[in-house]
Amino acid sequence: MRKVKKAIIPAAGLGTRFLPATKAMPKEMLPIVDKPTIQYIVEEAIESGIEDIIIVTGKGKRAIEDHFDYAPELENNLIEKEKFELLEKVRQSSNVDIHYIRQKEPKGLGHAVWCARKFIGNEPFAVLLGDDIVQAETPALRQLMDQYDSTLSSVIGVQTVPANQTHRYGIVDPVSNDERLYQVNKFVEKPAPGTAPSNLAIMGRYVFTPEIFTFLEQQDIGAGGEIQLTDAIEELNKHRFVYAYDFEGKRHDVGEKMGFIKTTIEFALKNAELRDETLEFMQTILKENLSLNKGK
Ligand code: UTP
């Protein structure tokens, strides 16, 4: 039995929801407090037991490669200034071995995954999206890998979302479940409001058997003018069971502005150095804004 050892992190999207910040900078480099979002994702992959990571990049994404590279000048400078704690943080991001491949045009998430097919070969593999940071006792990807080990089938990470949010996600139509593991009748990409078959939304963590590449290869342009990963999952599910797993953990949506702001506040409150001052600041602005509202 083959274990899941490799992971793809697609990061070639245009990040339009964060323009103009993402005009010259990858959205994956936007920090939550002091760490770029993509580093949280890489750390989850490694903590889950992934040994090889490939990041799919595109135009204007050089900063991602630089971030995970060795930075001798910076390290020497921190050593000279005896800033050893910072040195440790800088070294953490260059200790991982990461491969890169370019998606020449942003033709969609499905196409980005397909671009990494030669790196994966004929093995099961994981996909992690940078838009979702998950805090969990057992890393979200590890939970899916454990399900793969027992089913030997592709497993898609899902969580429940409110009914008025289903149109933003890929949604599963479950047939039956064994605790958190669902057999799936259908996968639907961004269903029109009011038409979703359930509230179980695909959350940016996947484990695939390599057959998914056959279906990605056959894909036409789908919803939003892109090659959709969800459409290929739906095709694969017609030939072999694809399971959905409702993973445990708190998921933070950092791919859109409000989620990004909320996550920043939550992470600042979890940081021992920042917690008290952040709380104080929040109390002050809350008071100011409440009194402003009263004056209206
Ligand atoms: P998103 O739908 O979040 O798109 O892609 P985006 O371009 O990153 O951001 P917005 O919507 O324009 O603000 C989901 C994931 O798929 C990757 C993205 O980098 C992101 O991780 N992706 C998307 C690609 O790698 N290539 C693509 O062509 C499209």
Side-chain angles (χ1 to χ4, degrees):
M1 178 186 119
R2 287 230 165 107
K3 290 265 176 199
V4 179
K5 298 278 177 209
K6 294 179 180 172
I8 303 174
I9 303 180
L14 297 175
T16 46
R17 282 171 287 179
F18 285 95
L19 279 170
T22 47
K23 189 178 165 198
M25 184 179 70
K27 88 166 173 191
E28 294 76 12
M29 288 303 296
L30 293 172
I32 299 294
V33 182
D34 56 5
K35 207 191 276 185
T37 54
I38 195 161
Q39 194 176 333
Y40 290 94
I41 308 300
V42 166
E43 286 174 1
E44 181 188 323
I46 292 168
E47 281 163 23
S48 299
I50 293 295
E51 292 172 6
D52 283 302
I53 295 174
I54 188 162
I55 300 182
V56 183
T57 65
K59 284 194 182 69
K61 302 275 183 168
R62 271 291 300 278
I64 298 178
E65 291 177 45
D66 289 342
H67 178 73
F68 291 109
D69 201 359
Y70 175 44
E73 281 175 19
L74 174 62
E75 288 197 12
N76 287 339
N77 184 292
L78 294 172
I79 292 168
E80 267 167 37
K81 291 182 179 148
E82 299 186 1
K83 294 189 171 171
F84 298 114
E85 228 175 276
L86 284 178
L87 180 69
E88 204 37 52
K89 284 189 181 175
V90 166
R91 282 186 173 160
Q92 258 168 21
S93 61
S94 53
N95 267 346
V96 285
D97 201 7
I98 297 182
H99 310 259
Y100 298 91
I101 187 152
R102 296 269 281 206
Q103 183 189 22
K104 293 192 178 84
E105 274 176 85
K107 287 189 190 166
L109 172 59
H111 181 257
V113 171
W114 182 78
C115 287
R117 69 200 177 283
K118 289 190 181 143
F119 171 81
I120 300 295
N122 196 26
E123 290 179 36
F125 65 99
V127 174
L128 300 99
L129 302 190
D131 283 354
D132 297 309
I133 293 178
V134 185
Q135 289 184 301
E137 224 164 87
T138 304
L141 180 62
R142 182 69 251 170
Q143 297 178 44
L144 300 191
M145 287 161 66
D146 290 343
Q147 295 304 317
Y148 168 81
D149 288 345
S150 54
T151 61
L152 296 184
S153 299
S154 300
V155 185
I156 314 299
V158 296
Q159 282 198 335
T160 305
V161 296
N164 64 3
Q165 294 292 307
T166 49
H167 64 282
R168 296 179 49 217
Y169 297 92
I171 298 290
V172 306
D173 179 7
V175 267
S176 64
N177 69 310
D178 178 7
E179 305 216 338
R180 292 175 164 268
L181 188 68
Y182 291 83
Q183 269 190 29
V184 179
N185 180 31
K186 228 176 153 196
F187 292 85
V188 193
E189 180 62 18
K190 300 193 172 87
T195 67
S198 79
N199 288 12
L200 289 171
I202 300 178
M203 284 303 170
R205 297 294 182 276
Y206 313 77
V207 172
F208 289 116
T209 55
E211 291 106 319
I212 190 75
F213 289 121
T214 315
F215 299 101
L216 282 171
E217 190 131 1
Q218 296 163 2
Q219 281 309 297
D220 294 324
I221 303 294
E226 298 189 336
I227 295 177
Q228 295 292 346
L229 182 58
T230 309
D231 295 346
I233 298 172
E234 168 61 8
E235 285 308 307
L236 173 61
N237 191 38
K238 288 179 187 161
H239 294 82
R240 269 189 70 160
F241 280 127
V242 176
Y243 291 90
Y245 186 72
D246 182 3
F247 58 84
E248 286 178 71
K250 170 132 202 216
R251 168 238 174 199
H252 303 269
D253 181 2
V254 297
E256 54 93 27
K257 276 181 264 196
M258 204 53 228
F260 188 87
I261 293 166
K262 285 181 190 168
T263 310
T264 302
I265 296 170
E266 282 195 56
F267 279 46
L269 290 173
K270 281 187 214 300
N271 181 313
E273 272 172 41
L274 302 174
R275 184 183 162 80
D276 290 350
E277 242 181 281
T278 307
L279 268 178
E280 228 172 85
F281 174 68
M282 284 166 67
Q283 270 166 342
T284 314
I285 50 170
L286 212 57
K287 262 191 221 151
E288 279 173 14
N289 282 279
L290 288 178
S291 60
L292 272 180
N293 277 354
K294 266 189 207 154
K296 271 186 190 168

